[in-house]
Amino acid sequence: MTTASNNRPASAEHWVRIPNGTRVRHRSEAYEGIIDGLTEIVSGSERNPDGKTQYRVKVEGGTRLLVPEQYLNVLIDTNQLVLIGRESELYRRSLTDRLRAVLPEDRFVAATEKAPASRVKSR
């Protein structure tokens, strides 16, 4: 048993990848985007629970940012289902159940909720 302070599971075997097309919001910087794949990270400490990747998140203007899972909230609709592309309700229900089995409840936020803080750009 590990006592890591970064809230990562003890191993990647229980990790459920957030699929491409899923709408997410950065937990502290409040920007929204869509999961656009994974990128393997060679150096640095912040990675997904698999220990080697970060999510590519496509944000406004087509920009892609690398973000570890711990900084992402999953957006849900009024039926409490994960928002992902034009997928069927059956698929979204299945995906919601899989993600809820591994992510804490506070990681699911309504798409209509405004983020607590706006991202301020300084130049």
Side-chain angles (χ1 to χ4, degrees):
M1 179 178 210
T2 63
T3 56
S5 62
N6 56 10
N7 295 330
R8 285 188 190 165
S11 69
E13 63 193 46
H14 300 289
W15 181 50
V16 175
R17 182 188 183 287
I18 301 171
N20 292 354
T22 304
R23 290 188 49 200
V24 293
R25 179 182 297 145
H26 193 280
R27 296 183 82 186
S28 62
E29 295 184 26
Y31 58 79
E32 291 185 10
I34 297 172
I35 299 292
D36 189 32
L38 293 173
T39 296
E40 191 164 332
I41 303 299
V42 177
S43 64
S45 61
E46 296 183 318
R47 298 187 181 125
N48 289 329
D50 65 356
K52 58 185 175 181
T53 63
Q54 286 186 349
Y55 287 105
R56 283 191 314 270
V57 178
K58 185 177 178 184
V59 295
E60 195 174 308
T63 302
R64 286 179 177 80
L65 303 172
L66 295 177
V67 185
E69 181 179 283
Q70 66 193 15
Y71 295 130
L72 295 175
N73 282 332
V74 177
L75 297 180
I76 55 175
D77 65 12
T78 56
N79 295 322
Q80 305 298 305
L81 297 178
V82 171
L83 291 171
I84 178 170
R86 295 182 178 175
E87 298 294 341
S88 71
E89 182 179 337
L90 182 62
Y91 175 76
R92 292 187 319 123
R93 189 169 305 284
S94 171
L95 175 60
T96 300
D97 291 344
R98 283 191 342 219
L99 291 176
R100 285 191 186 274
V102 295
L103 294 174
E105 187 60 33
D106 69 344
R107 301 288 295 282
F108 296 88
V109 297
T112 56
E113 286 180 13
K114 293 296 179 190
S118 296
R119 186 169 145 170
V120 178
K121 292 183 180 181
S122 60
R123 296 224 180 229

PDB file of all heavy atoms in Angstrom, residues 1-15:
ATOM      1  N   MET A   1       0.843  -1.187   0.000  1.00  0.00           N
ATOM      2  CA  MET A   1       0.000   0.000   0.000  1.00  0.00           C
ATOM      3  C   MET A   1       0.880   1.240   0.000  1.00  0.00           C
ATOM      4  O   MET A   1       1.788   1.348   0.793  1.00  0.00           O
ATOM      5  CB  MET A   1      -0.906  -0.037   1.223  1.00  0.00           C
ATOM      6  CG  MET A   1      -1.793   1.156   1.335  1.00  0.00           C
ATOM      7  SD  MET A   1      -2.830   0.949   2.779  1.00  0.00           S
ATOM      8  CE  MET A   1      -4.221   1.847   2.215  1.00  0.00           C
ATOM      9  N   THR A   2       0.564   2.173  -0.879  1.00  0.00           N
ATOM     10  CA  THR A   2       1.337   3.403  -0.921  1.00  0.00           C
ATOM     11  C   THR A   2       0.562   4.518  -0.249  1.00  0.00           C
ATOM     12  O   THR A   2      -0.661   4.494  -0.189  1.00  0.00           O
ATOM     13  CB  THR A   2       1.648   3.810  -2.377  1.00  0.00           C
ATOM     14  OG1 THR A   2       0.418   4.060  -3.037  1.00  0.00           O
ATOM     15  CG2 THR A   2       2.460   2.763  -3.093  1.00  0.00           C
ATOM     16  N   THR A   3       1.284   5.507   0.229  1.00  0.00           N
ATOM     17  CA  THR A   3       0.646   6.653   0.871  1.00  0.00           C
ATOM     18  C   THR A   3       1.012   7.929   0.122  1.00  0.00           C
ATOM     19  O   THR A   3       1.365   8.924   0.711  1.00  0.00           O
ATOM     20  CB  THR A   3       1.075   6.766   2.348  1.00  0.00           C
ATOM     21  OG1 THR A   3       2.499   6.832   2.390  1.00  0.00           O
ATOM     22  CG2 THR A   3       0.557   5.593   3.150  1.00  0.00           C
ATOM     23  N   ALA A   4       0.936   7.871  -1.188  1.00  0.00           N
ATOM     24  CA  ALA A   4       1.273   9.040  -2.007  1.00  0.00           C
ATOM     25  C   ALA A   4       0.275  10.158  -1.754  1.00  0.00           C
ATOM     26  O   ALA A   4      -0.906   9.918  -1.588  1.00  0.00           O
ATOM     27  CB  ALA A   4       1.281   8.653  -3.484  1.00  0.00           C
ATOM     28  N   SER A   5       0.766  11.384  -1.756  1.00  0.00           N
ATOM     29  CA  SER A   5      -0.103  12.524  -1.488  1.00  0.00           C
ATOM     30  C   SER A   5      -0.742  13.080  -2.755  1.00  0.00           C
ATOM     31  O   SER A   5      -1.495  14.031  -2.699  1.00  0.00           O
ATOM     32  CB  SER A   5       0.701  13.628  -0.803  1.00  0.00           C
ATOM     33  OG  SER A   5       1.722  14.056  -1.672  1.00  0.00           O
ATOM     34  N   ASN A   6      -0.481  12.482  -3.900  1.00  0.00           N
ATOM     35  CA  ASN A   6      -1.023  13.011  -5.152  1.00  0.00           C
ATOM     36  C   ASN A   6      -2.311  12.332  -5.580  1.00  0.00           C
ATOM     37  O   ASN A   6      -2.757  12.502  -6.688  1.00  0.00           O
ATOM     38  CB  ASN A   6       0.031  12.930  -6.261  1.00  0.00           C
ATOM     39  CG  ASN A   6       0.530  11.525  -6.449  1.00  0.00           C
ATOM     40  OD1 ASN A   6      -0.009  10.576  -5.895  1.00  0.00           O
ATOM     41  ND2 ASN A   6       1.572  11.386  -7.249  1.00  0.00           N
ATOM     42  N   ASN A   7      -2.920  11.518  -4.711  1.00  0.00           N
ATOM     43  CA  ASN A   7      -4.198  10.858  -4.952  1.00  0.00           C
ATOM     44  C   ASN A   7      -4.172   9.884  -6.126  1.00  0.00           C
ATOM     45  O   ASN A   7      -5.199   9.586  -6.703  1.00  0.00           O
ATOM     46  CB  ASN A   7      -5.311  11.879  -5.158  1.00  0.00           C
ATOM     47  CG  ASN A   7      -5.561  12.691  -3.929  1.00  0.00           C
ATOM     48  OD1 ASN A   7      -5.370  12.215  -2.812  1.00  0.00           O
ATOM     49  ND2 ASN A   7      -5.990  13.926  -4.111  1.00  0.00           N
ATOM     50  N   ARG A   8      -3.040   9.398  -6.507  1.00  0.00           N
ATOM     51  CA  ARG A   8      -2.965   8.404  -7.568  1.00  0.00           C
ATOM     52  C   ARG A   8      -3.254   7.029  -6.988  1.00  0.00           C
ATOM     53  O   ARG A   8      -2.882   6.727  -5.865  1.00  0.00           O
ATOM     54  CB  ARG A   8      -1.562   8.359  -8.186  1.00  0.00           C
ATOM     55  CG  ARG A   8      -1.281   9.499  -9.086  1.00  0.00           C
ATOM     56  CD  ARG A   8       0.019   9.265  -9.794  1.00  0.00           C
ATOM     57  NE  ARG A   8       0.408  10.471 -10.487  1.00  0.00           N
ATOM     58  CZ  ARG A   8       1.604  10.695 -10.957  1.00  0.00           C
ATOM     59  NH1 ARG A   8       2.550   9.810 -10.798  1.00  0.00           N
ATOM     60  NH2 ARG A   8       1.879  11.805 -11.574  1.00  0.00           N
ATOM     61  N   PRO A   9      -3.891   6.149  -7.786  1.00  0.00           N
ATOM     62  CA  PRO A   9      -4.077   4.781  -7.323  1.00  0.00           C
ATOM     63  C   PRO A   9      -2.729   4.092  -7.179  1.00  0.00           C
ATOM     64  O   PRO A   9      -1.736   4.514  -7.768  1.00  0.00           O
ATOM     65  CB  PRO A   9      -4.892   4.125  -8.432  1.00  0.00           C
ATOM     66  CG  PRO A   9      -5.261   5.187  -9.398  1.00  0.00           C
ATOM     67  CD  PRO A   9      -4.481   6.407  -9.069  1.00  0.00           C
ATOM     68  N   ALA A  10      -2.695   3.030  -6.414  1.00  0.00           N
ATOM     69  CA  ALA A  10      -1.447   2.314  -6.179  1.00  0.00           C
ATOM     70  C   ALA A  10      -0.864   1.742  -7.465  1.00  0.00           C
ATOM     71  O   ALA A  10       0.340   1.609  -7.584  1.00  0.00           O
ATOM     72  CB  ALA A  10      -1.680   1.194  -5.171  1.00  0.00           C
ATOM     73  N   SER A  11      -1.710   1.403  -8.434  1.00  0.00           N
ATOM     74  CA  SER A  11      -1.212   0.877  -9.697  1.00  0.00           C
ATOM     75  C   SER A  11      -2.117   1.287 -10.838  1.00  0.00           C
ATOM     76  O   SER A  11      -3.258   1.701 -10.633  1.00  0.00           O
ATOM     77  CB  SER A  11      -1.109  -0.652  -9.636  1.00  0.00           C
ATOM     78  OG  SER A  11      -2.415  -1.194  -9.577  1.00  0.00           O
ATOM     79  N   ALA A  12      -1.618   1.155 -12.045  1.00  0.00           N
ATOM     80  CA  ALA A  12      -2.372   1.549 -13.233  1.00  0.00           C
ATOM     81  C   ALA A  12      -3.412   0.505 -13.616  1.00  0.00           C
ATOM     82  O   ALA A  12      -4.263   0.783 -14.459  1.00  0.00           O
ATOM     83  CB  ALA A  12      -1.409   1.767 -14.392  1.00  0.00           C
ATOM     84  N   GLU A  13      -3.400  -0.657 -12.993  1.00  0.00           N
ATOM     85  CA  GLU A  13      -4.328  -1.713 -13.399  1.00  0.00           C
ATOM     86  C   GLU A  13      -5.796  -1.342 -13.173  1.00  0.00           C
ATOM     87  O   GLU A  13      -6.676  -1.897 -13.811  1.00  0.00           O
ATOM     88  CB  GLU A  13      -3.990  -3.027 -12.712  1.00  0.00           C
ATOM     89  CG  GLU A  13      -4.126  -2.981 -11.206  1.00  0.00           C
ATOM     90  CD  GLU A  13      -3.501  -4.179 -10.530  1.00  0.00           C
ATOM     91  OE1 GLU A  13      -2.367  -4.535 -10.888  1.00  0.00           O
ATOM     92  OE2 GLU A  13      -4.157  -4.741  -9.650  1.00  0.00           O
ATOM     93  N   HIS A  14      -6.078  -0.386 -12.292  1.00  0.00           N
ATOM     94  CA  HIS A  14      -7.450   0.038 -12.037  1.00  0.00           C
ATOM     95  C   HIS A  14      -7.785   1.355 -12.717  1.00  0.00           C
ATOM     96  O   HIS A  14      -8.876   1.873 -12.545  1.00  0.00           O
ATOM     97  CB  HIS A  14      -7.705   0.165 -10.531  1.00  0.00           C
ATOM     98  CG  HIS A  14      -7.499  -1.124  -9.812  1.00  0.00           C
ATOM     99  ND1 HIS A  14      -8.352  -2.191  -9.936  1.00  0.00           N
ATOM    100  CD2 HIS A  14      -6.513  -1.524  -8.984  1.00  0.00           C
ATOM    101  CE1 HIS A  14      -7.911  -3.195  -9.206  1.00  0.00           C
ATOM    102  NE2 HIS A  14      -6.786  -2.812  -8.621  1.00  0.00           N
ATOM    103  N   TRP A  15      -6.859   1.877 -13.497  1.00  0.00           N
ATOM    104  CA  TRP A  15      -7.063   3.150 -14.167  1.00  0.00           C
ATOM    105  C   TRP A  15      -8.034   2.979 -15.326  1.00  0.00           C
ATOM    106  O   TRP A  15      -7.950   2.030 -16.098  1.00  0.00           O
ATOM    107  CB  TRP A  15      -5.727   3.683 -14.676  1.00  0.00           C
ATOM    108  CG  TRP A  15      -5.815   5.004 -15.372  1.00  0.00           C
ATOM    109  CD1 TRP A  15      -6.442   6.127 -14.920  1.00  0.00           C
ATOM    110  CD2 TRP A  15      -5.266   5.348 -16.642  1.00  0.00           C
ATOM    111  NE1 TRP A  15      -6.298   7.156 -15.823  1.00  0.00           N
ATOM    112  CE2 TRP A  15      -5.576   6.702 -16.889  1.00  0.00           C
ATOM    113  CE3 TRP A  15      -4.528   4.650 -17.586  1.00  0.00           C
ATOM    114  CZ2 TRP A  15      -5.187   7.365 -18.044  1.00  0.00           C
ATOM    115  CZ3 TRP A  15      -4.136   5.310 -18.734  1.00  0.00           C
ATOM    116  CH2 TRP A  15      -4.461   6.653 -18.966  1.00  0.00           C
TER     117      TRP A  15
END
